[in-house]
Amino acid sequence: MEGLTLSDAEQKYYSDLFSYCDIESTKKVSANGRVLELFRAAQLPNDVVLQIMELCGATRLGYFGRSQFYIALKLVAVAQSGFPLRVESINTVKDLPLPRFVASKNEQESRHPTSYSSDSENQGSYSGVIPPPPGRGQVKKGSTSHDTVQPRASVDQQEPVSPVVSPQQSPPASPHTWRKHNRHPSGGNSERPLAGPGPFWSPFGEAQSGSSAGDAVWSGHSPPPPQENWVSFADTPPTSTLLTMHPASVQDQTTVRTVASATTANEIRRQSSSYDDPWKITDEQRQYYVNQFKTIQPDLNGFIPGSAAKEFFTKSKLPILELSHIWELSDFDKDGALTLDEFCAAFHLVVARKNGYDLPEKLPESLMPKLIDLEDSADVGDQPGEVGYSGSPAEAPPSKSPSMPSLNQTWPELNQSSEDTAIVHPVPIRMTPSKIHMQEMELKRTGSDHTNPTSPLLVKTSDLSEENKINSSVKFASGNTVADGYSSSDSFTSDPEQIGNNVTRQRSHSGTSPENTAPPPPPPRPQPSHSRSSSLDMNRTFSVTTGQQQAGVVAQPPAVPPRPQPSQAPGPVVHRPVDADGLITHTSTSPQQIPEQPNFADFSQFEVFAASNVNEEQDDEAEKHPEVLPVEKSSDPASSRVAKTDSKIEEKTAASAPANVSKGTTPLAPPPKPVRRRLKSEDELRPEVDEHTQKTGVLAAVLASQPSIPRSVGKDKKAIQASIRRNKETNTVLARLNSELQQQLKDVLEERISLEVQLEQLRPFSHL
Amino acid sequence: MAVCVAVIAKENYPLYIRSIPTENELKFHYMVHTSLDVVDEKISAMGKALVDQRELYLGLLYPTEDYKVYGYVTNSKVKFVMVVDSSNTALRDNEIRSMFRKLHNSYTDVMCNPFYNPGDRIQSRAFDGMVTSMMIQARRGKESLVARAPGAWSPEEAAKGGAEDL
């Protein structure tokens, strides 16, 4: 450094300042702490301060040695006088007034931090912190003095009583300041007119010597320089405390240079927590936090793991319990890691806590992490408004969705809303079947169909969602395109079934048993072709071997042998419309719906009928009808009623009716014709074979046939008897259907449970 | 209503125990303590091989004339025990399950906190708040129970349900 000539006053002043700043008495001052407060209090633009620091060499050294400090102070004076900052200006500018360090904020608030700093176990007074509320008061210019002192004194006296104040209130003055005042009067109102330059703040930690020196200095400077804008000595303690606040901003500028030591971090933390609305983070603070974040995690978009954050915040010497609470507040997504926003919020809370503010029960809105791009936070200067978390997402309750992936899937909460990324907030899935289904369907719907490898989910949803396997097969049909994409992936359930369907279809012609179609699907999921649930799709039944059919036959005693024949013939016919419709559902659902077969068969036949208008269909229908016979008889009256056109079963029954008529089994001849017409129209209306609706249609029709029966009572005794028979048959059929469907339900539930367990196993458990 | 909620660590010491009628705490503490035996019994009954498939919700551990005690175990052998007032007959099993689920979620959140050392007492305010809400809500909830019935299965219901279910 160039030789620095200082006048006596300057010398004293500077040494006083230095000793003030040199907290640790190491003859060098790290580039933070008091120095920054000091520079901040100098009311110089930040860039000027940076320049000063650079010029004096502190940046090089990383700390302020005494000479650097002196040079810096000189430069401050230079800058304050309006001279350009030059190294040579140190000595060239003559008659430079002492650098002025002003606090433009309310003194009381500055007192607060300092008081708390003294209160806290941290050594050294801590500076800065809460910037006074905007209106709070410029530093009293000349007028002040006693007036300000007294109220302050009273305030100070009150302070010790209630040191902890809610954020809304101005920070209470500290007993420290109170002490200052005591010192003050002793030191002298005489020294008051200090004005200008002197280190107004009394070095609390170092206290006495500094203050006395300061007093001396002050007295030496009793004629206030003209440019002084604050006040009297009386004001100084407060202003000095205020000064400490200001360094915070300076400090933020210099945070980059800050040596990341524990004490340093503490001081910085303390100094940089200036916020207006108590929880609002200023730009400087934010910048500081960001820089601190960078020291731990260079990637601003990345996370700070919990352990690193724990170490970092433990340095603040807050009790673990409070740190724990701060963590709970700030870890917004409860993932055990801190994003930049979360980190800033946590840091801010730590600072606030250190300054005596009570921790809130809920995260303040201004601290809520916003879901916007984190790069915005880097441009502190450019986006002060944005940095203020005005756009924070809706407040989330303290109980956030569990972000642990393993638990998320299995331990959802009802009121949890799925968040943006699936990674952070997987969509919760409930255990209960209905909910799981809903949510899985939601997962499916949220576009994870094609991209989400959790095709099992997709498939599972389809399986789970329906009580009816038919429905699932419908799903497969609709999701076929998706399944095709999965064919090579882990969509084991969907693919196999589709494959099975195809295979089944192909094999149906060859009459292989449905069990043969089972092997392709890897998962243990019982294939729709399993004969366990005896309900078989008519198509599949037809296409299936007699063994399978026997199972179906068992379920349906009235089933008649002629089935195998029609199975072959209607097979292709049946499949044709299926293919035409693009639905593979029939085959996949075949095995389980034996009782529905007749109706399904009828239905498919009807479709075929409608599609191709082949007479043989009618024969097929007729052939199938023997199976349906019991149902048909009951449904005949219904069909004859022609009342319910929307009931497929009615159509089927109508179809069966003609068959019956053709076979001459039913006494009622006329009904078939109108029914047929209806069938055609309805078949045309219904291009798709929705087996689910089929089933419902079956049920509905069967049920519908019931009420219609009484009408026929009055008509014909034979009709009555026939209807009675039909009703009985219908009842048995329905009972069988019921049992079979319940069986299916159990199977499906079991599958679901097993899959859930598998999911649980597959997801890593990160907790104990 | 949940009159007492307890979180028991793996080594069977309490991490968190809280009861609503605070004057009778000792009784609830005792009940929770005795219920641990039942919990252990249920866990061991499942068998070692099935530990993964073991359901976390243990159900009613034992009923007394005034209270019912429900249990829940996590995969890390942390147990949640809930004592419910028997007068609240309408508290369905599903609700108890959901309460345990919430407990588990909150417990997970506590574990996520790096400042929480596993094995410490749970002092999280968020957890406290959740438990309080559960205790109060359970008291309120019994009046406003919605019966979701997957129970009776009939063809009509299946038909309609199937249609609605998608």
Side-chain angles (χ1 to χ4, degrees), chain A residues 115-129:
Chain A
S115 70
Y116 278 91
S117 67
S118 62
D119 290 342
S120 71
E121 57 206 10
N122 303 309
Q123 59 283 59
S125 56
Y126 66 77
S127 35
V129 153

Side-chain angles (χ1 to χ4, degrees), chain A residues 328 411 430 475 738 768, chain B residues 56 76 101 105 124 153 166:
Chain A
E328 280 182 359
W411 307 115
R430 300 196 72 81
K475 289 275 184 287
N738 190 354
L768 293 183
Chain B
L56 301 181
S76 54
R101 207 170 298 128
N105 287 338
S124 150
W153 194 94
L166 288 161

Side-chain angles (χ1 to χ4, degrees), chain A residues 505-548:
Chain A
R505 235 180 308 153
Q506 295 160 4
R507 292 184 187 173
S508 66
H509 301 289
S510 59
T512 51
S513 70
E515 276 88 359
N516 293 342
T517 65
R525 169 191 302 271
Q527 291 303 309
S529 59
H530 280 186
S531 58
R532 178 183 176 185
S533 53
S534 53
S535 62
L536 287 176
D537 187 9
M538 270 312 271
N539 304 328
R540 187 170 286 219
T541 307
F542 291 152
S543 59
V544 163
T545 55
T546 51
Q548 178 74 18

Side-chain angles (χ1 to χ4, degrees), chain A residues 44 57 126 196 200 227 260 298 305 370 407 463 495 605 620 626 665:
Chain A
L44 294 172
Y126 66 77
F200 285 80
Q227 63 270 36
K370 44 197 193 311
L407 286 182
D463 280 337
D495 276 339
Q605 290 313 307
D620 294 335
T665 53

Side-chain angles (χ1 to χ4, degrees), chain A residues 227-249:
Chain A
Q227 63 270 36
E228 69 93 18
N229 35 350
W230 32 337
V231 284
S232 50
F233 188 66
D235 300 331
T236 56
T239 52
S240 62
T241 58
L242 285 173
L243 293 181
T244 60
M245 272 178 7
H246 290 280
S249 57

